Amino acid sequence: MRYLEIAALSFVLTACATSGAGGAGSAAGATRANTDVITTSEIDGATFRDAYDVVQRLRPSWLTRARASSGGSLGGTQVAGSSGSMSGVQPNASSAGLVVYLDNARMGGPEALRDISASAINTLQYMDAATATAKLPGIGSSIISGAIVVTSRTGH
């Protein structure tokens, strides 16, 4: 009989843990559920140098997704081999790679993230190429691999 009680209790605890029940824990889980957005609460929870550092540490896949979909280039810079070293190749006019927007203004490639203070960020959002082309101004006929859209705390 004791085994049934333990099994039932174990089942109930497992069900509660997987359903997200539990107040504050479920709010944090909901924030992390969207991997295409970084919020102020995630940024304020650690120390970052700039927006590039935020993306590199919290959502490195944004940079690797863009690199993969642009055929090994990131913002027009060719990425050589698995060592991660970059050779300075001029950007192709028809291929912009990953683009960065700050408060709806195009800033440039991923290196532009280094010019944005982490403390100034309200949200960062990754958009795939199709979504970015449809929603962001100034892309036109440029072929991009995606976009990182930064909303500042003062610009929202």
Side-chain angles (χ1 to χ4, degrees), residues 18 24 47 77 93 105:
T18 58
T47 303
T77 303

Side-chain angles (χ1 to χ4, degrees), residues 9-73:
L9 180 59
S10 176
F11 176 77
V12 169
L13 291 176
T14 303
C16 288
T18 58
S19 70
S26 61
T31 301
R32 292 197 180 268
N34 188 347
T35 59
D36 288 338
V37 176
I38 299 173
T39 63
T40 305
S41 61
E42 289 180 86
I43 296 167
D44 289 346
T47 303
F48 301 99
R49 291 184 305 268
D50 51 39
Y52 192 93
D53 191 33
V54 172
V55 172
Q56 191 172 42
R57 289 173 47 198
L58 295 180
R59 302 291 193 285
S61 65
W62 293 3
L63 299 172
T64 56
R65 266 194 272 179
R67 200 175 287 132
S69 61
S70 65
S73 70

